[in-house]
Each structure stands twice: as C-alpha cells, then as structure tokens.
Amino acid sequence: RVAIAPNCSVFLSFDALSPFTCPEIKFFGSENQLSSFKKTFARNYDLWDNSIYPRNNLENLLEISLPSPSTYKMQDLSADCAICYGFRGEDEKETPDKVCENRFCSKPYHKSCLLTWLQGLSDSRTSFGTVFGTCPYCSFDISVKY
C-alpha cells in the first residue's frame, strides 16, 4: 500500500513472476479526493513502462511525485483505521477501505469497526442492509453495508 496524498493511498498487487509489469491497483480514500487520481490513471494506463521501477511508473501514471519524509509528516499519510488505530482488522485480512467523504476529514475505517461504531449510536438507522450515522470525528453523514 502506497500513500499518494493525505488520506489517499493505492494498494498494488504485483505478479511475482513479472514484478515490472503493471500491477493490479486498488484506490483507497474519499471518492471526492480520488476521482482525479482515477481519471489520470485511466488516461495514462498505457504509459506503463516495464523497463523502469514501479515507483517511477506510478508517479508517471498519476502525474504526481509520491510523498516522502521530506514533504509530509508520517501521521498525515496514515492509512490506519481511525477507530481501532490499526491497519489490519481482527481477521488480519481487512484493511481500512471505508472513508469519510468530508474533504476536511477523510478518516479511513475498517468496515467492521465503522459498523460497530454506527450500531452503537442512538440516532443511527438501518435500511436495506446499510447502517447510516455520522463520522466519529467530524459528524458528517456516513454509512456502511453489512
């Protein structure tokens, strides 16, 4: 998993037999923040060059310089769940993939942590397999399917 901006990251799955080929990429973060990254990536996907390092390819495809310790504080790039403060969930497979859509908050959450949090709120509501409530940090509307 690689941070591309505060509260935005990409998960890269490489083929062990061809590590320089374009990996499977999954974006994590607020859709508001990710939409431009996704469009840029889609537009530049064919520019992946198997002869250069994946980091350089990712920067070229996203048209950015990846964050580094000299440009960002580590806490600004954290992908840990804002409820349990861990990256891996209880089953050791779940990663924080639900994000507050408030662009000033954008805290990441494990779906299971957010579900537990929302179910504990007196004013949360459930409809068609989805629990609706408010973000623990900014009180912006947030929901999670179960």
Side-chain angles (χ1 to χ4, degrees):
R1 195 159 180 172
V2 178
I4 56 175
N7 299 310
C8 294
S9 62
V10 291
F11 183 82
L12 308 168
S13 296
F14 289 92
D15 179 351
L17 300 176
S18 301
F20 282 89
T21 58
C22 190
E24 179 183 328
I25 296 178
K26 184 175 180 183
F27 289 85
F28 292 94
S30 164
E31 196 56 43
N32 294 334
Q33 292 178 295
L34 289 178
S35 61
S36 63
F37 287 119
K38 288 179 176 180
K39 288 177 188 173
T40 303
F41 178 80
R43 183 179 65 243
N44 295 332
Y45 181 80
D46 293 333
L47 300 178
W48 186 273
D49 181 353
N50 293 345
S51 67
I52 63 174
Y53 288 109
R55 177 188 175 95
N56 302 103
N57 270 313
L58 192 58
E59 289 179 330
N60 292 341
L61 267 59
L62 295 175
E63 298 176 355
I64 62 169
S65 293
L66 291 174
S68 70
S70 63
T71 58
Y72 285 92
K73 297 177 188 168
M74 287 306 290
Q75 62 266 27
D76 292 339
L77 300 174
S78 175
D80 294 342
C81 174
I83 294 174
C84 74
Y85 303 109
F87 180 69
R88 294 281 181 199
E90 290 179 7
D91 64 1
E92 291 298 317
K93 293 180 182 176
E94 183 184 22
T95 58
D97 61 354
K98 182 66 181 166
V99 177
C100 177
E101 292 294 330
N102 179 346
R103 66 185 179 105
F104 298 107
C105 178
S106 299
K107 298 286 189 200
Y109 302 102
H110 294 114
K111 285 182 183 177
S112 60
C113 291
L114 188 58
L115 179 62
T116 301
W117 172 269
L118 293 176
Q119 288 174 331
L121 297 177
S122 61
D123 60 345
S124 68
R125 56 203 184 285
T126 303
S127 179
F128 298 105
T130 303
V131 179
F132 299 87
T134 56
C135 172
Y137 281 84
C138 70
S139 298
F140 195 78
D141 288 342
I142 195 167
S143 63
V144 64
K145 292 183 181 205
Y146 61 91

